[in-house]
Amino acid sequence: MDMPAKKRRTSELDLSVLLKQTALMPKIQAYKTLDFLETLRREIRTPCGHSLYLSDQGLESFLRLSDMAEEFLPSRSKLESQDICVACKEALGRLYEQDAPSREIMSYFATVEAIAKESINIHRFYTSLAGLEFDGVDEFSIGYVSIQKPDLEVLKSCVANDDLVNSTWEQMQQGLWVTAEVTGSLEYAERRFFDDVKIACGLLAVSFTTVLERGGAAVRLVPSMDGRFRPGAVSWFSYPAVSKVLRTTTNVMGFDRLTFDERHKSGLPSCSWYQDLVRIVQDGKETDAELAVRRGIYWFFDAQTDTSPEMQLVKFWSSIECIFSIGKEDTTKKIKRGLAALLTYGRYSFSDTKNWDRLESEVGRLYDLRCGAVHDAMHNHVMVGHVTTVSKWAAWVMLEVAQLVTDGFDTRVKIKAEIDRVCGLRLADLAKPD
């Protein structure tokens, strides 16, 4: 694995930190101070089955090490980030069981590579396709992606019990099937397969659009995938090329049901920000600032109904842009400074003042992801964590602006002037000698 000397030294330092006792916290401390998901995030399991938990220092070093593996691991092109993270944890768990573990970074990455490669296999995927039917045709290939009529013999050839085969066939015998063979980890292969399915269906849609009177308005090719088909149905299946063990996937949206109880019923109306927002969105006034808040609330709603992380990110940013996009110049600068100012110096103090520079930098980074999707047609570059962060920013911006509107700031120009004033005070404070 070819790695620049500077990055190798950084990785060796992180590995050395991880092999010190300070990189771990007692199990009882982890259970008491961390929630369930954070506990899983920090858990390192040894080959003998012992669970160890990374301290804050250890987690920081581990994440850097995992990022470095994701950048330089030879097999990274066939893996997902989570695959590499899991391999890094397993390799570290092996070191923790050794009396004198090696601190040689290339040896560690070689172990990570060997573990990660074990997850790479050849997978054959099948998904159903609505909006298209064959007349006198059994199969049509678009490169290595094929569209075919449903074939029960494919399912019967898999390693599975009869009940599973029959239930899958019952769910998928209608319409057509799209199939392709992909090499990689299961997570990578599934993502890549559906990327290929989208491209294939898009190509077909373009072809039909050029000849149909109603063009694209008459085309609707819908492959079965998360958020694209009826919940609860078996929407696609796959099997490794060697073992042919059948794996079916149920198309269930990955959202938990929220509980609304008496605490919420009595607590929400007592919050001033809630009352302000209700008034702003329902009282019918049309000041510039109130209209901006209403548009922001609309885009917040639309974002949380979407199923694509890229579009969710774009729409949550639209919610924020409703407040800061005054004019067409220096939009990014206005959003970075305005968002940082509201979240830091607003009534609710979402972010601490000492984190201003880091917050402003993160705002710029995540806004670049939005610009990549909107202006460069990028995809698969947005993660759930990115969406979570921007959605929180959008929510708190709505709260802060509602308070400003209540305080008499009836236009976004006035809000911007207030933000400029706050930023000016901050710069003045920074310029003062210690």
Side-chain angles (χ1 to χ4, degrees):
M1 185 166 62
D2 188 18
M3 180 183 293
K6 183 177 180 180
K7 292 190 174 183
R8 181 181 298 186
R9 289 193 297 270
T10 299
S11 297
E12 286 176 344
L13 179 60
D14 284 324
L15 182 59
S16 296
V17 170
L18 285 165
L19 293 177
K20 295 178 180 178
Q21 189 61 38
T22 54
L24 301 173
M25 66 168 62
K27 182 182 294 187
I28 187 66
Q29 181 185 352
Y31 287 160
K32 285 184 176 180
T33 60
L34 305 176
D35 61 33
F36 177 70
L37 292 179
E38 185 64 14
T39 300
L40 292 180
R41 181 177 178 232
R42 297 185 184 220
E43 184 180 46
I44 305 291
R45 294 187 66 85
T46 68
C48 290
H50 297 297
S51 294
L52 306 173
Y53 299 91
L54 296 172
S55 64
D56 291 344
Q57 181 185 25
L59 179 63
E60 187 176 339
S61 291
F62 175 79
L63 292 177
R64 278 197 299 267
L65 206 59
S66 182
D67 287 344
M68 204 69 74
E70 187 173 350
E71 184 178 353
F72 293 103
L73 214 61
S75 60
R76 63 188 181 278
S77 63
K78 300 297 182 183
L79 301 166
E80 295 289 90
S81 298
Q82 185 60 27
D83 299 319
I84 295 175
C85 181
V86 169
C88 286
K89 283 188 174 184
E90 184 173 337
L92 190 59
R94 294 181 185 182
L95 290 179
Y96 282 146
E97 278 199 347
Q98 298 174 10
D99 293 332
S102 171
R103 298 172 185 267
E104 207 282 305
I105 191 62
M106 301 313 294
S107 174
Y108 171 77
F109 279 136
T111 302
V112 173
E113 169 71 6
I115 294 170
K117 286 183 69 174
E118 291 177 0
S119 67
I120 296 176
N121 207 332
I122 301 173
H123 299 271
R124 168 67 66 172
F125 285 89
Y126 291 82
T127 189
S128 52
L129 176 65
L132 187 70
E133 62 179 16
F134 280 167
D135 183 6
V137 176
D138 291 326
E139 183 177 1
F140 178 73
S141 295
I142 305 173
Y144 56 82
V145 177
S146 294
I147 301 175
Q148 66 174 68
K149 289 185 176 180
D151 186 355
L152 180 58
E153 294 304 313
V154 172
L155 284 166
K156 287 183 175 180
S157 69
C158 296
V159 179
N161 60 55
D162 291 341
D163 289 342
L164 182 58
V165 169
N166 292 335
S167 63
T168 304
W169 175 250
E170 182 179 351
Q171 297 286 355
M172 295 188 63
Q173 62 180 310
Q174 304 299 324
L176 299 174
W177 284 358
V178 185
T179 182
E181 194 171 83
V182 185
T183 299
S185 70
L186 178 58
E187 290 74 15
Y188 166 83
E190 186 166 279
R191 178 180 63 79
R192 173 63 186 274
F193 170 67
F194 283 111
D195 281 349
D196 292 337
V197 169
K198 293 174 189 176
I199 295 300
C201 289
L203 194 154
L204 274 182
V206 169
S207 301
F208 281 116
T209 297
T210 62
V211 296
L212 294 176
E213 182 178 349
R214 292 176 56 221
V219 180
R220 183 168 176 80
L221 305 178
V222 185
S224 297
M225 52 193 297
D226 279 337
R228 300 290 182 180
F229 213 59
R230 62 190 180 94
V234 174
S235 300
W236 63 89
F237 66 90
S238 64
Y239 53 80
V242 177
S243 67
K244 297 199 74 172
V245 176
L246 182 63
R247 172 183 176 269
T248 63
T249 301
T250 302
N251 185 20
V252 178
M253 295 301 296
F255 300 110
D256 295 328
R257 292 182 178 178
L258 302 176
T259 301
F260 191 93
D261 56 24
E262 185 62 35
R263 292 173 302 165
H264 304 99
K265 181 179 179 180
S266 60
L268 271 179
S270 66
C271 297
S272 61
W273 58 262
Y274 174 80
Q275 297 173 15
D276 291 339
L277 282 175
V278 170
R279 177 184 54 77
I280 289 170
V281 300
Q282 293 183 354
D283 68 1
K285 290 184 179 180
E286 296 187 355
T287 66
D288 176 68
E290 288 186 324
L291 287 174
V293 171
R294 291 175 198 170
R295 290 197 300 271
I297 294 295
Y298 166 78
W299 282 112
F300 196 97
F301 160 79
D302 202 52
Q304 56 88 43
T305 64
D306 212 306
T307 58
S308 163
E310 292 86 358
M311 290 310 302
Q312 283 188 305
L313 187 81
V314 169
K315 291 174 180 178
F316 279 127
W317 272 120
S318 293
S319 180
I320 294 170
E321 288 171 333
C322 290
I323 307 301
F324 301 111
S325 294
I326 307 171
K328 298 181 179 180
E329 297 179 358
D330 297 324
T331 299
T332 302
K333 180 180 179 181
K334 285 184 288 190
I335 288 175
K336 286 174 64 176
R337 186 171 62 172
L339 188 54
L342 274 185
L343 296 181
T344 303
Y345 291 99
R347 176 177 179 179
Y348 300 101
S349 301
F350 177 85
S351 180
D352 193 272
T353 55
K354 67 176 181 291
N355 294 327
W356 175 290
D357 291 335
R358 185 170 62 184
L359 174 61
E360 196 173 39
S361 175
E362 189 176 16
V363 169
R365 181 175 66 87
L366 295 188
Y367 196 71
D368 285 342
L369 296 182
R370 174 262 181 207
C371 293
V374 172
H375 301 302
D376 201 27
M378 293 177 65
H379 62 100
N380 286 331
H381 66 303
V382 176
M383 305 300 166
V384 174
H386 301 147
V387 176
T388 299
T389 298
V390 178
S391 68
K392 290 182 179 179
W393 290 345
W396 285 100
V397 163
M398 292 301 107
L399 268 62
E400 295 289 358
V401 174
Q403 179 62 43
L404 288 172
V405 170
T406 301
D407 291 342
F409 293 82
D410 58 354
T411 68
R412 288 175 295 168
V413 171
K414 292 181 180 179
I415 293 175
K416 181 180 181 298
E418 176 64 8
I419 288 173
D420 291 341
R421 185 186 70 82
V422 170
C423 291
L425 293 175
R426 174 179 177 270
L427 292 176
D429 287 340
L430 292 176
K432 292 179 182 179
D434 295 333

